[in-house]
Each structure stands twice: as C-alpha cells, then as structure tokens.
Amino acid sequence: MPSTASSLPFVKISRRGAKRLQDGHVWVYRSDIISADGVAPGSAVGVADERGKFLGTALYSSASQIAIRMLSDRAVSDLPAMVRERIQAAIRYREQVVRDTDAYRVVFSEADFLPGLIVDRYHDLLSMQILTQAMDAEPLRNLVVSELNSALKPAAISERVDPRIRELEQLPARASGLVVGEKTGTIFTMNGVRFHYEALEGQKTGAFLDQRENYAAAARYAHGEALDVFCYQGGFALHLAQLSSCSKVTGVDSSRPALEVADRNATLNGREIEWIEANAFDLLRDYADAGRRYDTIVLDPPAFAKNKSSLETALRGYKELNLRALKMLRSGGILVTCCCSYHVSPAQYLDVVRVSARDVHRNLRIVENRGQAKDHPILINVPETEYLKCLIVNVSN
Ligand code: SAH
C-alpha cells in the first residue's frame, strides 16, 4: 500500500466501484466491495482498487447497501480535525446563502461532506439525526455535539432517531432525546411567518425546511381563493395567508395532529385559515366533480416513489393530483406543484404536469421552476442530493 494510506484498515473495491469514484460520486455499493477483511463496522478506511491503487479515505458500513461513503480522495490522518473543520465550513456556507429565517438545515450529510449527519436549527434549538454506523460511533458523535454546541451555542440539542435507519445499519435501538440542555420547545420564524417547534414528546413538530424559499415564492403569485393540499402543519397555507393577497386559505391534510399544530400556528400569526382533515385524493375528486373553483392550489404530497420499482404507480398518483387541481383552477390561476421523490427526475415531473394540462385542455406557463432551498445544497457529482421539484405555473383559458 502507498505510504499516503496511513494506518487505516483497507477496503478493496471492484473496477466498477472505482469507476464510480473516478466519475466523482462518493458512494460504493456493497456489491462492489471485493474485500473488507478485519474492518470494524463504522470505521474510517482507506479505499483501494483491485490492483491496490489508493483512491481515498471513506467511512465504512458493514450493513448498509452503501458500504463506502467517501470523505476525501486523499489520506486523512486526523479525522476529528476534519469533521470539526467541515462543521465550521457548513455553518459558514449557511451564513452565505440563508436569509430571512432562524430555521434552516445546518448540515446536510454528503452535501456538506459529512456523510451520515443531518443537523437542523430551529431558532435556539438544534436537532440532529445520525444515519450511519460511523457517525454513531461514540467519539465522533461526541465530537459533533461539542462542536455544534460551541459554534452555535444553542439552548439545547436533541437527537431525532429513525428506528428503521438504525435497524438497517444494524445499530442498537436508541430513543430520541435531549443530548445537550433541557429546552425542547421554541418558536421559529421564516420569511416573517412564525411556527411552533417541539423537538420531542407530545406533539412533535418540525418543518419541511427544504420548502422555505418555495413558500415565499408561492406567496408572490398566490391570490384569491387558495387551497393548500397536503398542508401538514401549514407551511404553504400560513405563508399564503400572511404574505399574499389571498382572500381565503384552506389547508387539507389527512393527519389530525398535523392540522392541530397548523391551527396553533395560524393563531400564533393572528390568521384565519380553514383546515380540513381528509384524504387529498378523495377531496380533490369530490371538489372537482362538484365544480369547485380556486385561484391558487398548492400540491405538496409525500414521496410516492420510495424506490425505482414504485415509479410507475407514483407517476400515476402525481398525475391524478395535477389533473384534478388543474381542472379546478380559474383562468389566471396559479398551481404550485411539488414532488420530493428523488426517483422522479425534474424532466419526468415536468412531463407529468405537461400531460395533465393537455388532458384537461389547459394552457400552462411556467412562472418558476424551482427546487430545494439553498441550505439543502445539491452536490453536483451526487445526483441523489437533488430531490425536490417545485413548479409554479400560470393556468389559463
Ligand atoms: N406542505 C407541507 C409538507 C407536506 S408533507 C409543508 O410544507 O409543511 C406531506 C403531508 O401529506 C403530511 O402532512 C401527511 O400527513 C400528508 N398526507 C399523506 N397522505 C395523504 C393523503 N392521502 N391525503 C391527505 N394528506 C396526506
């Protein structure tokens, strides 16, 4: 092994895996691992190709299909120092690109060169999520917490645990909870709109921070009677009620607890919004059949395509929603239509909207073709970091 490879254990990968890295991606799948002898789960490793050529330093998972997540194409001698620097860099990046909010994503995993770590800020609270064996290891986890604590001085840091991810990574079960401080609830403000945040027990809240810039954009064009479909805790609806000229705003979601928080958020902002608990597909069908009309409709469903095999079904679901919404919009109306499935490409989603418009004989003009907020950066060589589509279209005839 080359001398640059330091003292880390080595993982050897196939030619296909090496090609992927040379093309700039940062993942190597398990099927491309040739040998990982004696490598402990979650360790930092050197990566080499079949012939032993050094390709860089990575974090290794013994369980995930993504076996290797690259840290650098060089040797890394001081991992803690590198992690600290990268957290600092992630914070500085937000200082450059984040405006008008005290809630944003501080660290976005691969896109901040910290694979397996997500950190969100809600005013004075931080919430972190750990997604891999390597980030879960006690020394690294402690280092992350202490760095975030000293750099951002939050009132508290909590950890949000996704039990499914821990299972996939073969990590011992762990409960969500506070890791620093005592405070679990706060109020954050984005674009001048206020929201309740509760980190833990009871009615847990949190926002879709990736939509933050789209909320403000939607409010620029929204008018008249507005319907926010899949409204969750009211992200779009509250922005429309507060920042646009809408005469009436209605939010629809199937989750009663989400609507309860939405209503508290409306009160917090002194706004009147109508909340309807319903299955969005049923409600849109009934309303469209009944000839209801709106001037603004927002569609922001959950990810229908969780993997490639569910793509066709997902596309049908997206089409049905868009068809019904387009039918109900008055001429001059605005449709804000979003898709957060990575497996549906921007071109595919545009096509769903185009075909829906053709089927209902409406003319569409693209007012804005948008994506995720800038605190969810897209790493140019990692397509998986680009997932959110948000089209704002003007509907006529
Ligand atoms: N627009 C929201 C985020 C939506 S997340 C925001 O900006 O904050 C997706 C939401 O869809 C969740 O709140 C979930 O409860 C809701 N949902 C999922 N399936 C649904 C269905 N069939 N009908 C109505 N709501 C649904």
Side-chain angles (χ1 to χ4, degrees):
M1 291 297 158
S3 56
T4 48
S6 77
S7 56
L8 296 176
F10 256 84
V11 171
K12 204 176 246 195
I13 64 172
S14 71
R15 186 182 299 195
R16 189 176 61 178
K19 167 85 170 53
R20 210 173 148 74
L21 297 185
Q22 271 144 16
D23 288 345
H25 209 289
V26 293
W27 294 347
V28 178
Y29 292 104
R30 181 145 314 281
S31 53
D32 286 315
I33 302 292
I34 292 178
S35 65
D37 303 334
V39 176
S43 27
V45 293
V47 180
D49 71 8
E50 284 172 325
R51 287 176 309 191
K53 184 175 165 230
F54 179 74
L55 300 173
T57 308
L59 298 175
Y60 177 74
S61 167
S62 63
S64 166
Q65 278 314 305
I66 306 169
I68 289 284
R69 294 171 195 254
M70 294 304 289
L71 285 170
S72 170
D73 57 4
R74 314 223 171 119
V76 173
S77 55
D78 189 347
L79 181 62
M82 171 183 259
V83 168
R84 261 189 238 111
E85 274 163 29
R86 288 184 175 183
I87 291 175
Q88 292 293 345
I91 293 170
R92 281 198 305 277
Y93 178 76
R94 273 50 183 191
E95 286 165 4
Q96 278 182 325
V97 301
V98 171
R99 296 285 176 275
D100 303 323
T101 184
D102 61 4
Y104 53 89
R105 181 149 291 183
V106 182
V107 176
F108 186 31
S109 199
E110 273 79 4
D112 284 296
F113 318 104
L114 291 163
L117 178 67
I118 290 180
V119 181
D120 291 330
R121 176 180 166 197
Y122 292 96
H123 181 52
D124 55 350
L125 300 183
L126 294 183
S127 159
M128 77 174 193
Q129 264 181 287
I130 284 177
L131 311 173
T132 57
Q133 291 173 350
M135 280 293 166
D136 194 59
E138 209 61 29
L140 212 46
R141 155 192 281 284
N142 291 342
L143 183 144
V144 165
V145 170
S146 92
E147 192 62 25
L148 289 169
N149 202 30
S150 64
L152 297 171
K153 305 195 173 44
I157 305 179
S158 60
E159 180 182 0
R160 221 179 93 198
V161 174
D162 181 341
R164 200 182 46 93
I165 287 176
R166 289 192 73 84
E167 218 169 282
L168 286 175
E169 283 283 287
Q170 291 172 8
L171 290 166
R174 193 181 171 103
S176 292
L178 280 161
V179 288
V180 171
E182 301 289 329
K183 191 173 174 185
T184 57
T186 195
I187 287 170
F188 64 90
T189 310
M190 53 166 79
N191 309 308
V193 181
R194 285 157 36 97
F195 292 84
H196 287 284
Y197 174 70
E198 190 56 56
L200 299 174
E201 75 289 336
Q203 179 51 59
K204 203 170 86 47
T205 61
F208 288 87
L209 299 172
D210 51 2
Q211 289 282 28
R212 190 186 64 256
E213 295 168 358
N214 297 332
Y215 295 151
R220 282 201 285 277
Y221 313 104
H223 61 275
E225 288 175 76
L227 185 65
D228 175 7
V229 188
F230 304 96
C231 66
Y232 183 58
Q233 297 172 353
F236 279 102
L238 287 154
H239 277 78
L240 301 196
Q242 185 109 331
L243 306 177
S244 79
S245 62
C246 288
S247 51
K248 176 164 191 216
V249 179
T250 303
V252 180
D253 202 281
S254 58
S255 158
R256 175 178 289 271
L259 292 177
E260 283 167 5
V261 180
D263 196 44
R264 285 173 56 214
N265 285 336
T267 307
L268 184 65
N269 291 280
R271 300 286 147 172
E272 283 264 342
I273 298 174
E274 176 191 33
W275 306 108
I276 301 178
E277 182 186 342
N279 179 316
F281 286 92
D282 296 343
L283 179 125
L284 288 177
R285 190 194 52 229
D286 295 348
Y287 277 23
D289 289 351
R292 289 233 193 182
R293 293 287 174 267
Y294 287 91
D295 302 288
T296 303
I297 297 180
V298 178
L299 297 175
D300 185 19
F304 293 152
K306 302 263 190 230
N307 47 51
K308 267 195 198 146
S309 57
S310 55
L311 184 61
E312 287 309 316
T313 323
L315 291 175
R316 275 198 296 279
Y318 290 122
K319 184 173 175 199
E320 181 174 341
L321 295 173
N322 280 283
L323 272 175
R324 305 228 191 263
L326 286 171
K327 258 194 195 170
M328 284 197 284
L329 280 162
R330 295 192 179 101
S331 196
I334 289 288
L335 174 66
V336 180
T337 179
C338 311
C339 170
C340 60
S341 295
Y342 159 70
H343 298 283
V344 178
S345 72
Q348 274 170 319
Y349 197 64
L350 195 62
D351 217 46
V352 166
V353 180
R354 184 184 64 76
V355 171
S356 306
R358 186 200 60 196
D359 287 5
V360 292
H361 309 286
R362 306 301 307 262
N363 290 318
L364 296 195
R365 285 175 290 183
I366 299 173
V367 180
E368 291 200 32
N369 189 346
R370 308 178 55 91
Q372 62 224 48
K374 297 181 200 71
D375 48 331
H376 293 62
I378 298 166
L379 198 56
I380 201 160
N381 42 323
V382 181
E384 289 83 354
T385 55
E386 179 176 14
Y387 62 95
L388 185 62
K389 279 79 53 191
C390 173
L391 284 168
I392 304 182
V393 295
N394 165 284
V395 182
S396 59
N397 75 3

